[in-house]
Amino acid sequence: MSASGAVEPGPPGAAAALSAAPAQPPSAGPLFRPISAEDEEQQPTEIESLCMNCYRNGMTRLLLTKIPFFREIIVSSFSCEHCGWSNTEIQSAGRIQDQGVRYALSVRGLEDMNREVVKTDSATTRIPELDFEIPAFSQKGALTTVEGLINRAISGLEQDQPTRRAKEEAVAERIDEFIIKLKELKKVASPFTLIIDDPSGNSFVENPHAPRKDDALVITHYNRTLQQEEMLGLQAEAPEEKPEEEDLRNEVLQFNTNCPECNAPAQTNMKLVQIPHFKEVIIMATNCENCGHRTNEVKSGGAVEPLGTKITLCITDPSDMTRDLLKSETCSVEIPELEFEMGMAVLGGKFTTLEGLLKDIRELVTKNPFTFGDSSSLGQSEKLQEFSQKLDQIIEGNMKVHFIMNDPAGNSYLQNVYAPEEDPEMKVERYKRTFDQNEELGLNDMKTEGYEAGLDPQR
């Protein structure tokens, strides 16, 4: 199976029933090995299993592998030498992400049909123009393309058509008409929207224009609801009684968590910090003793500001790299000279230096699993290498650019080295948020005054 090809499973309900046949002994080394065509020791485990098409014994092959800079997956493939039927699928073996993710792709041409897609079991797929939806857990996970998703939906609708024609002819005719509409979508005669909503956060849609922003793709990260937590099998913690308020400014709180890289038990430290000439923030840092991975995240300790903030810094000297920087989760970053824009929630909240953030951006862009390896094109790799070289020039102070931070919540900060005087190289603008920005921050439906009048008088 090629890592860049579409994975097309067979008819639903035909999962192989495993028999008691002995499996091949696993090779020595880690359980999940990085996927590589040159790794001769990485062999799949073969298990004899029942074919649900002809009910004779076929062969299931399982491969536990890790996509570099992505996450662990389980690739399973079944084939029957008697009837020729085959079935292939993938399952995520990594941890459920902290937030869910929603991809909205505007398919405008045939090239968009070739975008690679990772769709997990828990993802819901929708095409609003046809009022069509594939519910969560109704299909197995797949590494495929946009066209592959549509083909998969067509195969699922066609498989029971003979039975429907015999029992409910009218229903079968309506489904035939809908299948024709799905096949017309593959020609992209008119634009349509493909939405993949995954509460687990493990789905992915390729951006072929990386590292530049993709105007056709909108990525939204969100907090899961209680219903989504239960659907994923996550046990909700019972609310505890709130203890008396304590002064946390001089204390470092610690709590147990799992390392995001190796999933080993780790410890997260949390501290309330006052940034000079700004406000209080909460810094959370995780250090894994098992693999050495370190990460830090910043949460705003205050409310949403009345006005948004846009900070523009003209980088003219290598000393600018040492400026302290606070990037909140609602802040977007832009470098016009590189035609680069990073949206909200990407990289999360950060309290670092300007040099540290630029290095994080370089690592995020250049280590995308879909931009290197077998699935990448030569032109795309060259663009990323050129982008990485330009970032290195900026960090070394050999290239003058404008660095723009735009935070509608007003909770981001860039150090003014001339404080309390004005910085001649930095411009700070306060602006009134638009309706869409307030909607994205959840402020349009928030009522902070006069809400008592709407409460039930019996309560």
Side-chain angles (χ1 to χ4, degrees):
M1 184 190 70
S2 171
S4 60
V7 177
E8 296 296 338
L18 303 182
S19 68
Q24 293 183 353
S27 59
L31 185 62
F32 291 91
R33 302 170 66 92
I35 189 169
S36 173
E38 300 176 356
D39 189 355
E40 297 180 356
E41 297 182 0
Q42 188 178 37
Q43 299 295 331
T45 301
E46 295 185 349
I47 305 174
E48 190 176 359
S49 50
L50 180 67
C51 174
M52 301 305 293
N53 188 47
C54 68
Y55 298 101
R56 302 172 73 176
N57 281 344
M59 187 64 67
T60 295
R61 295 173 175 84
L62 297 175
L63 181 64
L64 281 65
T65 186
K66 179 179 180 181
I67 299 178
F69 312 112
F70 190 46
R71 54 181 61 94
E72 297 88 353
I73 63 171
I74 301 174
V75 183
S76 63
S77 174
F78 173 81
S79 61
C80 178
E81 61 180 7
H82 304 289
C83 65
W85 186 77
S86 62
N87 180 25
T88 306
E89 65 183 53
I90 70 167
Q91 292 182 350
S92 174
R95 60 188 289 270
I96 295 177
Q97 303 304 304
D98 296 332
Q99 290 183 312
V101 66
R102 180 179 183 271
Y103 293 90
L105 173 64
S106 177
V107 181
R108 303 167 183 171
L110 293 175
E111 63 277 3
D112 290 328
M113 301 295 290
N114 295 324
R115 290 181 184 240
E116 293 184 339
V117 175
V118 174
K119 176 187 173 296
T120 66
D121 300 4
S122 59
T124 300
T125 305
R126 293 196 300 271
I127 302 178
E129 287 78 2
L130 297 184
D131 196 18
F132 176 66
E133 177 175 326
I134 303 175
F137 298 104
S138 62
Q139 290 183 345
K140 295 294 184 180
L143 170 60
T144 180
T145 61
V146 175
E147 183 179 5
L149 286 178
I150 297 176
N151 286 336
R152 210 172 174 208
I154 293 173
S155 299
L157 292 173
E158 287 180 340
Q159 66 175 356
D160 292 330
Q161 281 297 83
T163 305
R164 294 191 188 99
R165 291 190 182 94
K167 296 182 179 180
E168 301 178 8
E169 185 176 355
V171 175
E173 290 178 356
R174 290 198 295 269
I175 293 179
D176 283 336
E177 294 175 359
F178 190 82
I179 290 175
I180 293 175
K181 293 180 180 179
L182 284 176
K183 291 181 178 179
E184 289 294 326
L185 285 183
K186 296 195 295 182
K187 301 178 183 179
V188 198
S190 60
F192 66 92
T193 304
L194 176 70
I195 299 175
I196 297 179
D197 192 334
D198 187 2
S200 73
N202 285 327
S203 292
F204 188 85
V205 176
E206 178 190 9
N207 174 10
H209 308 291
R212 292 183 298 169
K213 181 182 178 182
D214 190 348
D215 295 332
L217 183 64
V218 178
I219 306 174
T220 305
H221 296 267
Y222 60 87
N223 295 324
R224 287 184 288 268
T225 63
L226 291 177
Q227 292 78 6
Q228 291 172 330
E229 296 272 359
E230 294 176 359
M231 180 182 70
L232 295 174
L234 302 177
Q235 184 178 0
E237 297 181 357
E240 300 179 355
E241 296 182 359
K242 295 183 178 179
E244 296 181 0
E245 293 185 1
E246 300 178 359
D247 187 6
L248 303 179
R249 291 172 177 79
N250 298 322
E251 295 186 18
V252 177
L253 302 181
Q254 296 180 337
F255 56 91
N256 296 326
T257 184
N258 289 339
C259 173
E261 286 293 323
C262 67
N263 208 32
Q267 199 169 57
T268 295
N269 298 327
M270 184 172 67
K271 180 75 165 62
L272 190 64
V273 177
Q274 173 68 45
I275 297 180
H277 309 290
F278 191 52
K279 59 171 65 174
E280 288 182 340
V281 296
I282 300 173
I283 298 179
M284 303 173 66
T286 303
N287 183 15
C288 178
E289 297 181 355
N290 183 52
C291 67
H293 176 75
R294 294 183 178 182
T295 182
N296 70 78
E297 188 175 0
V298 175
K299 302 287 186 181
S300 174
V304 176
E305 295 294 318
L307 298 176
T309 302
K310 181 178 180 181
I311 304 174
T312 303
L313 173 66
C314 181
I315 301 176
T316 58
D317 190 84
S319 62
D320 289 330
M321 295 295 108
T322 61
R323 291 177 184 249
D324 289 333
L325 177 146
L326 171 65
K327 174 195 169 298
S328 74
E329 292 181 333
T330 58
C331 179
S332 61
V333 175
E334 184 178 355
I335 304 177
E337 288 79 1
L338 302 186
E339 296 183 358
F340 173 77
E341 182 175 346
M342 183 176 70
M344 294 184 183
V346 181
L347 291 178
K350 288 280 185 180
F351 182 46
T352 178
T353 61
L354 182 56
E355 179 182 3
L357 183 63
L358 292 177
K359 288 183 177 180
D360 287 340
I361 292 174
R362 181 183 59 188
E363 181 178 358
L364 174 70
V365 172
T366 58
K367 291 189 177 181
N368 189 306
F370 290 98
T371 54
F372 285 100
D374 296 341
S375 61
S376 65
S377 61
L378 180 61
Q380 191 177 43
S381 299
E382 291 178 350
K383 289 180 181 178
L384 288 175
Q385 291 176 358
E386 182 182 355
F387 177 79
S388 178
Q389 292 172 358
K390 290 182 178 178
L391 277 182
D392 289 336
Q393 293 178 14
I394 296 174
I395 294 173
E396 295 170 1
N398 298 328
M399 184 176 180
K400 296 182 179 180
V401 296
H402 289 82
F403 180 81
I404 302 174
M405 299 173 61
N406 190 351
D407 187 358
N411 288 326
S412 294
Y413 162 83
L414 184 60
Q415 181 185 12
N416 175 7
V417 295
Y418 297 92
E421 303 295 331
E422 291 187 1
D423 190 333
E425 303 296 340
M426 187 169 69
K427 180 181 179 182
V428 180
E429 303 175 63
R430 306 285 181 178
Y431 62 88
K432 185 176 181 181
R433 287 184 290 269
T434 64
F435 178 87
D436 292 338
Q437 288 174 326
N438 282 327
E439 184 71 19
E440 195 164 0
L441 295 173
L443 299 178
N444 288 332
D445 298 327
M446 186 180 296
K447 190 174 183 181
T448 58
E449 297 180 357
Y451 59 88
E452 298 89 349
L455 297 178
D456 189 346
Q458 296 180 356
R459 294 180 60 182

Coordinates of all heavy atoms in Angstrom, one line a residue, residues 258-318:
N258 N 0.0 13.3 30.5 CA 0.8 12.5 29.6 C 1.6 13.3 28.6 O 1.1 14.4 28.2 CB -0.2 11.5 28.8 CG -0.8 10.5 29.7 OD1 -0.2 10.2 30.8 ND2 -1.9 9.9 29.3
C259 N 2.8 12.8 28.3 CA 3.6 13.5 27.3 C 3.0 13.5 25.9 O 2.5 12.4 25.5 CB 5.0 12.9 27.3 SG 6.1 13.5 26.0
P260 N 2.8 14.6 25.2 CA 2.2 14.7 23.9 C 3.1 13.9 22.8 O 2.5 13.7 21.7 CB 2.1 16.2 23.6 CG 3.1 16.8 24.4 CD 3.2 16.0 25.7
E261 N 4.3 13.6 23.1 CA 5.2 13.0 22.1 C 5.2 11.5 22.3 O 4.9 10.7 21.4 CB 6.6 13.5 22.2 CG 6.8 14.9 21.7 CD 6.6 14.9 20.2 OE1 7.0 14.0 19.5 OE2 6.0 15.9 19.7
C262 N 5.5 11.0 23.5 CA 5.6 9.5 23.8 C 4.5 9.0 24.6 O 4.5 7.8 24.9 CB 7.0 9.2 24.4 SG 7.2 9.9 26.1
N263 N 3.6 9.8 25.1 CA 2.4 9.4 25.9 C 2.8 8.8 27.2 O 2.0 8.2 27.9 CB 1.6 8.4 25.1 CG 0.1 8.5 25.5 OD1 -0.4 9.6 25.9 ND2 -0.6 7.4 25.5
A264 N 4.1 9.0 27.7 CA 4.5 8.5 29.0 C 4.0 9.5 30.1 O 3.7 10.7 29.8 CB 6.0 8.4 29.0
P265 N 3.8 9.0 31.3 CA 3.4 9.9 32.4 C 4.4 11.0 32.6 O 5.6 10.8 32.6 CB 3.3 9.0 33.6 CG 3.2 7.6 33.1 CD 3.9 7.6 31.8
A266 N 3.9 12.3 32.7 CA 4.7 13.4 32.9 C 4.0 14.4 33.9 O 3.0 14.1 34.4 CB 5.0 14.1 31.6
Q267 N 4.7 15.5 34.2 CA 4.2 16.4 35.1 C 4.2 17.8 34.5 O 5.1 18.2 33.9 CB 5.0 16.4 36.4 CG 4.3 17.0 37.6 CD 5.1 16.7 38.9 OE1 6.2 17.1 39.0 NE2 4.4 16.1 39.9
T268 N 3.1 18.5 34.7 CA 2.9 19.9 34.2 C 2.9 20.9 35.4 O 2.2 20.7 36.4 CB 1.6 20.0 33.5 OG1 1.6 19.2 32.3 CG2 1.4 21.5 33.0
N269 N 3.7 21.9 35.3 CA 3.8 23.0 36.2 C 3.0 24.2 35.8 O 3.1 24.5 34.6 CB 5.3 23.4 36.5 CG 6.1 22.3 37.0 OD1 5.6 21.4 37.8 ND2 7.4 22.2 36.6
M270 N 2.3 24.8 36.7 CA 1.5 26.0 36.3 C 1.8 27.1 37.3 O 1.9 26.9 38.5 CB 0.0 25.6 36.4 CG -0.9 26.7 36.0 SD -2.6 26.1 35.9 CE -3.0 25.8 37.6
K271 N 2.0 28.3 36.8 CA 2.4 29.5 37.6 C 1.7 30.8 37.0 O 1.6 31.0 35.8 CB 3.9 29.7 37.5 CG 4.4 30.9 38.3 CD 4.4 30.6 39.8 CE 5.3 31.6 40.5 NZ 4.8 33.0 40.5
L272 N 1.2 31.6 38.0 CA 0.6 32.9 37.6 C 1.7 33.9 37.6 O 2.4 34.1 38.6 CB -0.5 33.2 38.6 CG -1.4 34.4 38.3 CD1 -2.2 34.2 37.1 CD2 -2.3 34.7 39.5
V273 N 1.9 34.6 36.5 CA 3.0 35.5 36.3 C 2.5 36.9 35.9 O 1.5 37.0 35.1 CB 4.0 35.0 35.2 CG1 5.1 36.0 35.0 CG2 4.6 33.7 35.6
Q274 N 3.1 38.0 36.4 CA 2.7 39.3 36.1 C 3.7 39.9 35.1 O 4.9 40.0 35.4 CB 2.7 40.3 37.3 CG 2.5 41.7 37.0 CD 1.1 42.0 36.5 OE1 0.1 41.6 37.0 NE2 1.0 42.8 35.4
I275 N 3.3 40.2 33.8 CA 4.2 40.7 32.8 C 4.2 42.2 33.0 O 3.2 42.9 33.0 CB 3.7 40.3 31.4 CG1 3.7 38.8 31.2 CG2 4.6 41.0 30.3 CD1 3.3 38.3 29.9
P276 N 5.4 42.8 33.1 CA 5.5 44.3 33.3 C 4.9 45.0 32.1 O 5.0 44.6 30.9 CB 7.1 44.5 33.3 CG 7.6 43.2 33.7 CD 6.7 42.1 33.1
H277 N 4.2 46.1 32.4 CA 3.5 47.0 31.5 C 2.4 46.2 30.7 O 2.1 46.6 29.6 CB 4.5 47.6 30.5 CG 5.7 48.3 31.1 ND1 5.5 49.4 31.9 CD2 7.0 47.9 31.2 CE1 6.7 49.8 32.3 NE2 7.6 48.9 31.9
F278 N 2.0 45.1 31.2 CA 0.9 44.3 30.5 C -0.1 43.8 31.5 O -0.8 44.6 32.2 CB 1.5 43.2 29.7 CG 0.6 42.6 28.7 CD1 -0.1 43.3 27.8 CD2 0.4 41.2 28.7 CE1 -1.0 42.8 26.9 CE2 -0.5 40.6 27.8 CZ -1.2 41.4 26.9
K279 N -0.2 42.5 31.8 CA -1.2 42.0 32.7 C -0.7 40.6 33.2 O 0.4 40.1 32.9 CB -2.5 41.8 31.9 CG -2.4 40.9 30.7 CD -3.8 40.6 30.1 CE -4.5 41.8 29.6 NZ -5.8 41.5 28.9
E280 N -1.6 39.9 34.0 CA -1.3 38.6 34.5 C -1.6 37.6 33.5 O -2.6 37.6 32.8 CB -2.0 38.4 35.8 CG -1.6 39.2 37.0 CD -2.3 38.8 38.2 OE1 -3.5 38.3 38.1 OE2 -1.9 39.1 39.3
V281 N -0.7 36.5 33.4 CA -0.9 35.4 32.5 C -0.6 34.1 33.3 O 0.1 34.2 34.3 CB 0.0 35.4 31.3 CG1 -0.4 36.6 30.4 CG2 1.4 35.4 31.6
I282 N -1.1 33.0 32.8 CA -0.9 31.7 33.4 C 0.0 30.9 32.5 O -0.3 30.7 31.3 CB -2.2 30.9 33.6 CG1 -3.1 31.7 34.6 CG2 -1.9 29.5 34.2 CD1 -4.5 31.1 34.7
I283 N 1.2 30.5 33.0 CA 2.2 29.8 32.2 C 2.1 28.3 32.6 O 2.2 28.0 33.8 CB 3.6 30.3 32.4 CG1 3.7 31.8 31.9 CG2 4.6 29.5 31.6 CD1 5.0 32.4 32.0
M284 N 2.0 27.4 31.6 CA 1.9 26.0 31.9 C 3.1 25.3 31.1 O 3.2 25.5 29.9 CB 0.6 25.4 31.5 CG -0.6 26.0 32.1 SD -2.2 25.5 31.5 CE -2.2 23.8 32.0
A285 N 4.0 24.6 31.8 CA 5.1 24.0 31.2 C 5.2 22.5 31.6 O 4.9 22.1 32.7 CB 6.4 24.6 31.7
T286 N 5.4 21.7 30.5 CA 5.5 20.2 30.7 C 6.9 19.7 30.3 O 7.4 20.1 29.3 CB 4.5 19.5 29.8 OG1 3.2 20.0 30.1 CG2 4.5 18.0 30.0
N287 N 7.5 18.9 31.2 CA 8.8 18.3 30.9 C 8.7 16.8 31.1 O 8.3 16.3 32.1 CB 9.8 18.9 31.9 CG 11.2 18.4 31.7 OD1 11.5 17.8 30.6 ND2 12.1 18.6 32.6
C288 N 9.0 16.1 30.0 CA 8.9 14.6 30.0 C 10.3 14.0 30.3 O 11.3 14.2 29.5 CB 8.4 14.1 28.7 SG 8.3 12.3 28.6
E289 N 10.5 13.3 31.4 CA 11.7 12.7 31.7 C 12.0 11.4 30.9 O 13.2 11.0 30.8 CB 11.7 12.2 33.2 CG 11.6 13.4 34.2 CD 11.6 13.0 35.6 OE1 11.6 11.7 35.9 OE2 11.6 13.8 36.5
N290 N 11.0 10.9 30.2 CA 11.2 9.7 29.4 C 11.8 10.0 28.1 O 12.8 9.3 27.7 CB 9.8 9.0 29.2 CG 9.9 7.7 28.4 OD1 10.7 6.8 28.8 ND2 9.2 7.5 27.4
C291 N 11.3 11.0 27.3 CA 11.9 11.3 26.0 C 12.5 12.7 26.0 O 13.1 13.0 24.9 CB 10.8 11.2 24.9 SG 9.5 12.5 25.1
G292 N 12.5 13.5 27.0 CA 13.1 14.8 27.0 C 12.3 15.9 26.4 O 12.8 17.0 26.3
H293 N 11.1 15.6 26.0 CA 10.3 16.6 25.3 C 9.8 17.7 26.3 O 9.5 17.4 27.4 CB 9.0 15.9 24.7 CG 8.1 16.9 24.0 ND1 8.4 17.5 22.8 CD2 6.9 17.4 24.5 CE1 7.4 18.4 22.5 NE2 6.5 18.3 23.5
R294 N 9.9 18.9 25.8 CA 9.5 20.1 26.7 C 8.6 20.9 25.9 O 8.7 21.1 24.7 CB 10.7 20.9 27.1 CG 11.7 20.2 28.0 CD 12.8 21.1 28.5 NE 13.7 20.4 29.4 CZ 14.8 21.0 30.0 NH1 15.0 22.3 29.7 NH2 15.5 20.3 30.8
T295 N 7.6 21.5 26.6 CA 6.6 22.3 25.9 C 6.1 23.3 26.9 O 6.1 23.1 28.1 CB 5.5 21.6 25.3 OG1 4.6 22.5 24.6 CG2 4.7 20.8 26.3
N296 N 5.7 24.5 26.5 CA 5.1 25.5 27.3 C 3.9 26.1 26.7 O 3.8 26.2 25.4 CB 6.1 26.5 27.8 CG 6.4 27.5 26.7 OD1 5.7 28.4 26.3 ND2 7.6 27.3 26.1
E297 N 2.9 26.5 27.4 CA 1.7 27.1 26.9 C 1.2 28.2 27.8 O 1.5 28.2 29.0 CB 0.6 26.0 26.8 CG -0.7 26.5 26.1 CD -1.7 25.4 25.9 OE1 -1.4 24.3 26.3 OE2 -2.8 25.7 25.3
V298 N 0.6 29.2 27.2 CA 0.2 30.4 28.0 C -1.3 30.6 27.9 O -1.8 30.5 26.8 CB 1.0 31.7 27.5 CG1 0.5 32.9 28.2 CG2 2.5 31.5 27.7
K299 N -1.9 30.9 29.0 CA -3.3 31.2 29.0 C -3.5 32.6 29.6 O -2.8 33.0 30.5 CB -4.1 30.2 29.9 CG -4.0 28.8 29.5 CD -4.8 28.5 28.2 CE -4.8 27.0 27.9 NZ -5.5 26.7 26.6
S300 N -4.4 33.4 29.0 CA -4.6 34.7 29.5 C -5.3 34.6 30.9 O -6.2 33.8 31.2 CB -5.6 35.5 28.6 OG -5.9 36.7 29.1
G301 N -4.8 35.4 31.8 CA -5.3 35.4 33.2 C -6.4 36.5 33.4 O -7.0 36.6 34.5
G302 N -6.7 37.2 32.4 CA -7.8 38.3 32.5 C -8.9 38.1 31.5 O -9.0 37.1 30.8
A303 N -9.7 39.1 31.4 CA -10.9 39.0 30.6 C -10.5 39.5 29.1 O -9.4 39.9 28.9 CB -12.0 39.9 31.1
V304 N -11.5 39.3 28.2 CA -11.3 39.8 26.9 C -11.3 41.3 26.9 O -12.2 41.9 27.5 CB -12.4 39.3 25.9 CG1 -12.3 39.8 24.5 CG2 -12.3 37.7 25.9
E305 N -10.4 42.0 26.2 CA -10.3 43.4 26.2 C -11.4 44.0 25.4 O -11.9 43.4 24.5 CB -8.9 43.9 25.7 CG -7.7 43.4 26.5 CD -7.7 44.1 27.9 OE1 -8.0 45.3 27.9 OE2 -7.4 43.5 28.9
P306 N -11.8 45.3 25.8 CA -12.8 46.0 25.0 C -12.5 46.1 23.5 O -13.4 46.2 22.6 CB -13.0 47.3 25.7 CG -12.4 47.1 27.0 CD -11.3 46.1 26.9
L307 N -11.2 46.3 23.2 CA -10.7 46.5 21.8 C -9.7 45.5 21.4 O -9.0 44.9 22.3 CB -10.1 47.9 21.7 CG -11.0 49.1 21.9 CD1 -10.2 50.4 21.8 CD2 -12.2 49.1 21.0
G308 N -9.7 45.1 20.2 CA -8.6 44.2 19.6 C -7.3 45.0 19.5 O -7.2 46.2 19.6
T309 N -6.2 44.2 19.4 CA -4.9 44.8 19.3 C -4.2 44.2 18.1 O -4.2 43.0 17.8 CB -4.1 44.4 20.6 OG1 -4.7 44.9 21.7 CG2 -2.7 45.0 20.5
K310 N -3.5 45.2 17.3 CA -2.7 44.8 16.2 C -1.3 45.4 16.4 O -1.2 46.6 16.5 CB -3.3 45.3 14.9 CG -2.5 44.9 13.7 CD -3.2 45.4 12.4 CE -2.3 45.0 11.2 NZ -3.0 45.4 9.9
I311 N -0.3 44.5 16.5 CA 1.1 45.0 16.8 C 1.9 44.7 15.5 O 2.0 43.6 15.0 CB 1.7 44.2 18.0 CG1 0.8 44.4 19.2 CG2 3.1 44.7 18.3 CD1 1.2 43.5 20.4
T312 N 2.6 45.8 15.0 CA 3.4 45.6 13.8 C 4.8 46.1 14.2 O 5.1 47.2 14.7 CB 2.9 46.5 12.7 OG1 1.5 46.2 12.4 CG2 3.8 46.4 11.5
L313 N 5.8 45.1 14.0 CA 7.2 45.4 14.4 C 8.0 45.3 13.1 O 7.9 44.3 12.4 CB 7.7 44.4 15.4 CG 9.2 44.4 15.7 CD1 9.6 45.7 16.3 CD2 9.7 43.2 16.5
C314 N 8.8 46.3 12.8 CA 9.7 46.3 11.7 C 11.1 45.7 12.2 O 11.8 46.4 13.0 CB 9.9 47.7 11.1 SG 11.0 47.7 9.7
I315 N 11.4 44.5 11.8 CA 12.6 43.8 12.3 C 13.8 44.4 11.5 O 13.9 44.2 10.3 CB 12.5 42.3 12.1 CG1 11.3 41.8 12.9 CG2 13.8 41.6 12.6 CD1 11.1 40.3 12.7
T316 N 14.7 45.1 12.2 CA 15.8 45.8 11.5 C 17.1 45.4 12.1 O 18.2 45.7 11.5 CB 15.7 47.3 11.6 OG1 15.6 47.7 13.0 CG2 14.4 47.8 10.9
D317 N 17.1 44.7 13.2 CA 18.4 44.4 13.9 C 18.3 43.0 14.6 O 17.2 42.6 15.0 CB 18.7 45.5 15.0 CG 20.1 45.3 15.5 OD1 21.0 45.9 14.9 OD2 20.2 44.7 16.6
P318 N 19.4 42.3 14.6 CA 19.4 40.9 15.3 C 18.9 41.0 16.8 O 18.4 40.0 17.3 CB 20.8 40.4 15.2 CG 21.4 41.2 14.0 CD 20.7 42.5 14.0

